[in-house]
Amino acid sequence: MKNFKNILLFHSLLFSVALGFSQEVSKIVLEPSEDTTIISRHIYGHFAEHLGRSIYDGLYVGPESPIPNTDGVRNDIIQALKDIQIPNLRWPGGCFADTYHWKEGIGPKENRPTIVNQWWGGVTEDNSFGTHDFLNLCERLGAEPYLAANIGSGTVREFTDWIQYVNHAEGSPMAKLRKENGRNKPWNVKYWGVGNEMWGCGGNMTPEYYANLYKQYATFMADWGNSSNLYRIASGANTDDYHWTEVLMRDIPKNLIEGVALHSYSFVEWENKGSASNFNEAQYFSTMQTALKMEELVTKHIAIMDKYDPKKKVDLIVDEWGGWYDVEEGTNPGFLYQQNTMRDAMIAGATLNIFNNHSDRVKMANLAQTVNVLQAVALTDGPNMILTPTYHVMKMYTVHHDAELIPLKLKGAEYSFNGESLPAISVSASKNKSNKVNISLVNIDSKKKNKIELDLGNLEVKDMTATILIANKLQDHNTFDIPEKIKPGQFKDFKLKKGKLEVELPPFSVVVLSEK
């Protein structure tokens, strides 16, 4: 608590300098609509690839490890993911998915072949974490599994056998094999990715070629009347490749597809990403430019989808997003291990607000990645685990899970640097099943606080409580020596009177206000 008060004191001193300028007021009007849109909890999904220390040493340490575990999965990770109400988990990739052959990861562990991870560091792994381990973990977490299937180097038979193995109850060859391996009842996996990044590591395909290949695979996917009701997700565009989305929506019959994916990462420059924790304001501004471009990407891809699917039967699935920087000094370049600062909290808060506001079409998203890779929510070092600023944003935003979106209008201040400007304020609002209003606000400005006036209209909100994530510096992060340097605290710098809410939002902060 003392550290948190020191942070607020620091910001008060910062404000005294920043407020020497005239302050622009951001105005937000909440406009409840009769057209109900639900913010799917699956927007808050995660992604665990066989990459670096994501699976091994991250999620999985093995049942013989002295680190407390359940069937080899770290108990601290299990609890941390439960605490953010993880709705779904994507596995085994990523690029790794299109080199993964699932039958090598089932049966007695001592009999499983080793494989070389050609994409991530060229390391050899023993396949000790496979289908049973992953799906049993999802059951413990109460999360829906999202399996990314091998299209790039696999076959239709291999794919459909996997579906049969995890979903068919009995009487089939794969159901019999599953039972021999110790699992009697099926897992009824619903979400299936039909390949990954087919424009790149999935095979460097054209969208026309992939659309035909997708139709072939999707045609042979069946759940035999089980409760899973397969949800087929096509490998979608890389950032602003709108032609890719156009071809998929044009060429794939709507009875063969439930979702189209999109991948987009935030970084300074692709060839020079810079340090995750030692960055300057120019690098911060550039990273936020790419992060906020998600609004444009989602809007334009949705426009194409609306053209071919005006009834919105096909969902947009942003199943890889997050910040991407250079690896930490002294670590394997192929392991993509990076620290997580308040910059990442800004990316997370603003991006999730974008997804919420487009939840009529965006129905799932997956932060990359869960543990020890890219914008992770948790980092591990032997028996120790720390939670990152991104984790805390995810936990603060659980109030939006499966809540009703409240549409809004924003006329906000700008964050300016070196002659360029970005929207300083990001916001989304929802009403939960108890009809309580929740509002998430982000101020990405690195120096200035922003005053915000919210008109709550006829929502009849009487009282609110608030939580804030804040730090002394944008570069601040949690370490294994100081694991709670950044964590949420109580926020009181707001006033609510007669349906008008005034908020003083500190620089680089995330605030969630909740109706009592």
Side-chain angles (χ1 to χ4, degrees):
M1 182 59 69
K2 182 179 179 182
N3 183 55
F4 190 76
K5 288 180 178 178
N6 288 339
I7 293 172
L8 291 177
L9 177 61
F10 171 82
H11 277 273
S12 295
L13 294 173
L14 188 63
F15 300 161
S16 65
V17 176
L19 290 180
F21 307 95
S22 59
Q23 186 181 14
E24 182 179 356
V25 178
S26 297
K27 295 182 181 295
I28 299 169
V29 180
L30 273 59
E31 300 181 324
S33 170
E34 293 182 0
D35 297 328
T36 302
T37 296
I38 300 299
I39 300 172
S40 172
R41 69 187 187 280
H42 290 294
I43 284 173
Y44 294 83
H46 295 264
F47 171 34
E49 183 171 5
H50 284 249
L51 195 175
R53 295 170 51 242
S54 170
I55 302 297
Y56 302 107
D57 190 43
L59 286 172
Y60 187 79
V61 291
E64 306 304 321
S65 173
I67 298 173
N69 68 84
T70 301
D71 294 335
V73 179
R74 299 178 62 120
N75 289 343
D76 51 4
I77 292 291
I78 291 174
Q79 189 58 54
L81 295 179
K82 282 185 175 181
D83 288 345
I84 57 173
Q85 302 171 32
I86 177 173
N88 66 74
L89 186 58
R90 181 175 180 243
W91 176 87
C95 292
F96 183 82
D98 283 289
T99 59
Y100 183 67
H101 300 282
W102 68 271
K103 287 183 180 179
E104 297 177 347
I106 61 173
K109 294 183 187 290
E110 63 272 16
N111 295 339
R112 299 180 188 179
T114 58
I115 56 175
V116 176
N117 191 330
Q118 72 180 65
W119 293 111
W120 306 117
V123 296
T124 300
E125 68 159 88
D126 61 4
N127 267 314
S128 57
F129 188 87
T131 296
H132 288 248
D133 306 275
F134 173 70
L135 296 180
N136 289 341
L137 168 61
C138 288
E139 279 190 336
R140 291 189 197 98
L141 294 173
E144 292 269 12
Y146 171 11
L147 292 176
N150 182 348
I151 306 303
S153 67
T155 65
V156 173
R157 172 70 178 272
E158 180 181 17
F159 186 10
T160 56
D161 277 354
W162 201 11
I163 298 173
Q164 187 183 110
Y165 186 85
V166 301
N167 282 4
H168 199 236
E170 57 185 339
S172 66
M174 292 300 104
K176 181 175 182 291
L177 180 59
R178 181 190 68 242
K179 291 182 180 183
E180 290 173 355
N181 287 329
R183 172 78 181 197
N184 186 49
K185 63 178 183 178
W187 289 279
N188 290 328
V189 176
K190 177 178 181 178
Y191 296 102
W192 293 85
V194 185
N196 169 77
E197 296 190 354
M198 307 310 290
W199 38 263
C201 60
N204 285 299
M205 301 175 186
T206 65
E208 291 81 5
Y209 179 84
Y210 170 66
N212 284 327
L213 193 62
Y214 173 91
K215 287 185 286 187
Q216 178 187 4
Y217 275 77
T219 297
F220 289 95
M221 297 175 69
D223 66 355
W224 306 280
N226 290 340
S227 61
S228 54
N229 296 317
L230 299 186
Y231 186 104
R232 296 157 296 188
I233 300 170
S235 173
N238 178 25
T239 60
D240 58 358
D241 185 351
Y242 301 114
H243 176 65
W244 189 280
T245 299
E246 180 100 26
V247 171
L248 298 193
M249 293 301 297
R250 182 194 68 203
D251 292 359
I252 299 174
K254 302 306 176 283
N255 65 331
L256 288 179
I257 187 170
E258 284 70 44
V260 172
L262 170 66
H263 289 182
S264 181
Y265 287 94
S266 305
F267 45 80
V268 179
E269 298 176 17
W270 182 250
E271 299 297 333
N272 181 26
K273 300 183 181 70
S275 168
S277 56
N278 184 19
F279 55 89
N280 57 33
E281 185 171 8
Q283 292 169 312
Y284 170 67
F285 189 89
S286 180
T287 305
M288 294 313 300
Q289 278 183 313
T290 59
L292 295 182
K293 191 180 179 183
M294 184 66 78
E295 173 70 33
E296 175 187 326
L297 296 176
V298 168
T299 299
K300 289 186 176 181
H301 283 290
I302 287 175
I304 295 168
M305 297 176 75
D306 287 346
K307 174 182 174 182
Y308 294 97
D309 176 33
K311 294 184 178 180
K312 298 185 183 294
K313 292 183 177 180
V314 180
D315 300 329
L316 182 59
I317 311 297
V318 190
D319 56 14
E320 288 189 30
W321 67 273
W324 193 331
Y325 319 113
D326 292 341
V327 302
E328 295 301 307
E329 188 174 349
T331 64
N332 188 322
F335 283 9
L336 304 188
Y337 177 79
Q338 63 188 40
Q339 251 298 347
N340 195 289
T341 69
M342 283 299 295
R343 172 171 63 173
D344 297 288
M346 298 300 98
I347 294 172
T351 302
L352 291 169
N353 281 339
I354 291 169
F355 294 158
N356 288 348
N357 289 327
H358 290 280
S359 53
D360 61 332
R361 183 72 85 165
V362 178
K363 298 299 183 183
M364 181 187 287
N366 301 82
L367 176 68
Q369 295 188 15
T370 312
V371 189
N372 292 333
V373 172
L374 298 178
Q375 192 173 339
V377 295
L379 304 175
T380 65
D381 181 17
N384 301 314
M385 180 198 72
I386 57 174
L387 304 176
T388 67
T390 297
Y391 176 91
H392 293 307
V393 172
M394 283 280 188
K395 190 171 183 180
M396 292 166 67
Y397 276 44
T398 56
V399 296
H400 292 306
H401 287 202
D402 289 334
E404 181 181 333
L405 176 70
I406 301 176
L408 53 84
K409 287 185 178 179
L410 165 65
K411 182 180 180 182
E414 292 190 333
Y415 164 41
S416 299
F417 175 78
N418 201 24
E420 295 186 274
S421 295
L422 292 172
I425 304 301
S426 169
V427 58
S428 67
S430 68
K431 184 170 59 175
N432 64 21
K433 293 178 181 178
S434 300
N435 287 321
K436 300 295 185 181
V437 173
N438 295 283
I439 304 168
S440 49
L441 291 162
V442 182
N443 178 15
I444 72 165
D445 198 302
S446 64
K447 293 184 175 65
K448 292 195 305 182
K449 78 172 180 179
N450 272 289
K451 184 176 181 179
I452 300 171
E453 295 179 355
L454 295 100
D455 184 346
L456 304 183
N458 60 358
L459 290 170
E460 298 182 355
V461 177
K462 303 298 183 185
D463 198 6
M464 303 193 86
T465 184
T467 303
I468 187 170
L469 192 70
I470 197 171
N472 285 330
K473 299 187 300 181
L474 270 166
Q475 296 81 3
D476 282 349
H477 54 276
N478 293 331
T479 67
F480 293 100
D481 293 328
I482 311 176
E484 295 189 339
K485 184 173 185 177
I486 299 175
K487 63 179 181 180
Q490 188 178 15
F491 180 68
K492 295 184 178 180
D493 203 359
F494 67 93
K495 296 177 182 178
L496 175 61
K497 187 176 181 180
K498 295 182 180 180
K500 307 293 183 182
L501 180 63
E502 294 184 357
V503 184
E504 296 281 356
L505 203 60
F508 56 93
S509 63
V510 180
V511 168
V512 173
L513 299 112
S514 298
E515 182 179 0
K516 287 185 178 180

